[in-house]
Amino acid sequence: MRGQGRVRRRTHDRERLARRVRRAEQWRALGLGLRMFRRSLGTVMPLAVALAATALTFCVGLVFLAPPALRLTQCMARRERRVLAEEFGIEVPEAYKPQVTVETLPDGRYRFGRRVKRTVPGQWELDFQQFTTDPAIWRDLRWLSSALVLGVLAAVPAALIGYGLIGQLIPVIAWGAHHLGQGDSTVYTWFLAAPDGELSWPAHVLLGATFFGGFGLAPALVQRYGAWSAKLLSPPRNAQLRQRVRRLTETRADALDAQAAELRRIERDLHDGVQARLVAMGLNLGAVEQLLERDPAAAKALLAQSREASATALGELRGLVRGIHPPVLAERGLADAIRALALDSPLAVEVTEDLPGRAEPPVESAVYFAVSELLTNAARHAAADRVWIDVHHTGDALRVQVTDDGRGGADASNGSGLRGVERRLATFDGVLALSSPKGGPTIVTLELPCALSSPRTSTSYGTA
C-alpha cells in the first residue's frame, strides 16, 4: 500500500508539473502573440510606401522610387527573420542575389545584370536592376503584405480571453452604471447579455469557454504565425541550391588561393633557407677536398661549418614540416596538438577538451592553425595574460572556444588574421563568432560540422 501511495504521489507531482509547464507556455504564447501583433502594426506604413512606390514605378515610370521602397521592405524582412530565429527558433535563410556590378565588354559597352548600355550606368540604375529583378525582394514584399493578417491571427487568443473576461463582468459593469444613473445599453448585447446587463446561464457558459479557449489556442496560433511567416520568407528549393552552389564556388576559390599562397610560402622558405644552406655546404665540401692535403686545419674548420649548416638546415626543414602538417597533430590528435601550442605560447594557456574521437585530418588541420592564429593574436595584439581554450564535440559539430583576458576591441573586418581564419573554416562550412567588447574579454568561437571516429572513453583537462 505504501508503495502504491508513493507511485500515486509521483504521478500527481508529474501531472502538477506538466500543468504548470503548460500554463507557463500558454502565458508565454499570449505575450508573444501580443508582441507580434504590435510589430505587425509597424508594417502598415512600409507596406503602403512599397505598394505606392511600386505602382508609380511601373505605371507612371518614376523608376527612382522603387529601390528605396524595396530596400525598406528588405530591412523589414531581415528584422522579421531575426525575430523568427530568436523567438521561435526558426532559421530562415536569405537568398538575395549578389550585388549588381558593372562589366566592361570588349566593344566598349557596359553590362550590368541583364542590361547592356553604351554609357556608364548610374547608381540608381544599378539599384533598380538590383531590387526589381531579385525574386527574394518580391518574396519579402509578399510577406509584408500578409504581416498584418498574421499579427491579427497571433492576437486572436488574447482577444478571446479579453472578450470572455469582459463578458463575465458585464453584470457588475451594468450594476455600477445603473447606480450612476445610466440606463440600459445595447453595448451589453455585444457580450451576449441583455440590454439591462443580465447574463443567462448559456451566455455564462459560452463566455467561459471563450475565455479558456483563448488560453488553449494561444500556443498553436502563435506557432502557426511563426510557421506561416517562415514559409512566406523562405526561398524556394532551387534558390537555396543556387545559393549553396555560389557559396561552394566562393569557398573553393578561397581554398585554392590559400593553397597557392601556402605553396609560394613553402617555395620561398626552401629557396631562402634550406636551399641556400645546402649550396653553402656543397661549396664548403668542395673547398675541403682542395685543402685536405695542403691545410688539414682549415679543412677541419670547414667541415665543422658544414656540420653546423646541416643541423640548421635540418631544423628549418622540421619547422617547415610543422608549418605544413605538424607531426603531433598526425600522431596524437587535435587535443594534444593544441596542448603543444599552449606549451609553446608565452601566455598562460588553459586547455579543456572533451573529444570522444578524432575528426577528419583536414578538419583537424584547419582547427589547429586557427587556434594557432588566435593564440598569436592574443599574445601580439590583445595584451593578454591568460587564455582559456575549450574543445568539445556536440551533436554533429566540432566546437572550439578561445577566450583571453586582453583589452578587447578585436574586429574581423580590420585584420587579415581573423579573416584568414574565417576563410579557412568556410571551406568546411565552418563559422567564426567573435565577441570582443572594449576592455575585454575576447571570445572567439569556431564551429565546424564533422563526425568523429575512433571513440575514446576519457575526458582530459590540462593547463599549460
Side-chain angles (χ1 to χ4, degrees):
M1 295 294 293
R2 283 182 295 182
Q4 294 178 353
R6 284 195 296 269
V7 170
R8 284 196 295 269
R9 282 196 299 272
R10 284 197 295 269
T11 303
H12 176 71
D13 291 341
R14 284 196 296 269
E15 291 175 351
R16 186 171 59 183
L17 178 61
R19 287 195 298 270
R20 189 177 301 171
V21 171
R22 187 162 56 249
R23 283 196 298 270
E25 290 178 350
Q26 290 171 348
W27 281 108
R28 179 186 177 277
L30 281 172
L32 184 58
L34 289 175
R35 291 201 302 274
M36 295 303 102
F37 173 67
R38 186 184 63 188
R39 291 179 64 89
S40 69
L41 294 178
T43 65
V44 175
M45 186 59 68
L47 175 62
V49 170
L51 293 178
T54 304
L56 291 173
T57 296
F58 293 101
C59 297
V60 182
L62 302 178
V63 294
F64 58 89
L65 293 178
L70 294 177
R71 183 180 286 112
L72 176 61
T73 301
Q74 185 185 52
C75 292
M76 298 293 295
R78 281 177 166 162
R79 191 176 67 170
E80 181 69 10
R81 288 187 181 94
R82 288 196 299 270
V83 171
L84 291 175
E86 294 169 1
E87 301 288 354
F88 296 88
I90 303 175
E91 295 288 343
V92 181
E94 293 183 353
Y96 298 112
K97 286 185 176 181
Q99 189 69 31
V100 175
T101 57
V102 180
E103 178 186 359
T104 304
L105 300 177
D107 59 0
R109 293 185 300 170
Y110 301 92
R111 179 168 60 193
F112 56 103
R114 297 181 179 179
R115 297 185 59 192
V116 177
K117 286 187 65 178
R118 294 189 177 277
T119 58
V120 179
Q123 185 59 46
W124 71 268
E125 292 179 286
L126 298 179
D127 291 342
F128 184 83
Q129 185 75 10
Q130 176 76 36
F131 286 100
T132 59
T133 62
D134 191 347
I137 299 293
W138 298 108
R139 284 195 298 272
D140 292 347
L141 184 59
R142 179 185 63 182
W143 162 79
L144 193 64
S145 304
S146 308
L148 182 60
V149 177
L150 293 175
V152 171
L153 174 69
V156 164
L160 292 176
I161 292 172
Y163 181 82
L165 180 61
I166 294 174
Q168 295 288 359
L169 294 176
I170 284 296
V172 179
I173 296 172
W175 178 82
H178 290 156
H179 277 72
L180 293 176
Q182 298 181 7
D184 298 345
S185 174
T186 57
V187 175
Y188 302 148
T189 60
W190 300 350
F191 298 91
L192 308 182
D196 60 355
E198 292 295 328
L199 276 175
S200 62
W201 70 264
H204 275 294
V205 172
L206 288 174
L207 291 171
T210 302
F211 178 82
F212 290 106
F215 281 102
L217 287 174
L221 288 184
V222 169
Q223 288 302 319
R224 286 293 89 199
Y225 170 91
W228 288 339
S229 296
K231 187 175 181 62
L232 289 172
L233 288 170
S234 296
R237 179 64 178 169
N238 58 352
Q240 296 183 32
L241 289 176
R242 284 196 300 269
Q243 189 178 29
R244 175 65 175 163
V245 169
R246 185 166 61 248
R247 174 69 173 169
L248 290 175
T249 303
E250 293 173 355
T251 56
R252 178 179 177 272
D254 289 338
L256 291 175
D257 292 342
Q259 185 181 26
E262 187 71 10
L263 289 175
R264 287 193 297 270
R265 182 189 68 82
I266 295 171
E267 181 183 8
R268 183 179 62 252
D269 292 346
L270 287 173
H271 182 272
D272 297 342
V274 177
Q275 179 178 324
R277 297 187 187 282
L278 291 178
V279 170
M281 286 173 56
L283 294 175
N284 287 342
L285 291 176
V288 166
E289 289 180 349
Q290 298 177 4
L291 295 174
L292 192 59
E293 295 181 356
R294 289 187 295 109
D295 192 350
K300 186 176 180 180
L302 288 175
L303 286 174
Q305 292 178 9
S306 299
R307 185 173 63 251
E308 292 176 0
S310 67
T312 304
L314 182 60
E316 291 179 351
L317 279 175
R318 287 173 176 169
L320 189 61
V321 170
R322 284 195 297 270
I324 299 172
H325 191 75
V328 66
L329 181 61
E331 297 169 3
R332 303 288 299 276
L334 180 61
D336 288 333
I338 291 178
R339 289 195 188 89
L341 286 175
L343 291 171
D344 292 338
S345 175
L347 306 176
V349 183
E350 187 175 296
V351 181
T352 306
E353 66 93 3
D354 183 10
L355 295 179
R358 295 195 57 174
E360 293 294 328
V363 174
E364 288 189 336
S365 179
V367 173
Y368 172 86
F369 286 109
V371 172
S372 176
E373 177 68 27
L374 295 176
L375 286 176
T376 302
N377 288 347
R380 290 183 180 176
H381 309 298
D385 297 319
R386 297 185 63 84
V387 177
W388 296 266
I389 302 176
D390 178 53
V391 187
H392 61 276
H393 189 268
T394 56
D396 57 354
L398 177 63
R399 186 181 179 90
V400 181
Q401 187 174 81
V402 181
T403 306
D404 68 64
D405 61 352
R407 57 173 171 247
D411 187 354
S413 61
N414 290 338
S416 59
L418 291 176
R419 290 291 300 157
V421 172
E422 281 186 319
R423 288 194 297 268
R424 186 187 292 271
L425 299 181
T427 307
F428 303 94
D429 284 342
V431 294
L432 180 148
L434 173 65
S435 173
S436 183
K438 291 291 185 182
T442 296
I443 304 174
V444 182
T445 303
L446 317 175
E447 188 167 311
L448 294 88
C450 70
L452 299 185
S453 59
S454 303
R456 299 182 311 171
T457 58
S458 65
T459 299
S460 302
Y461 179 87
T463 302

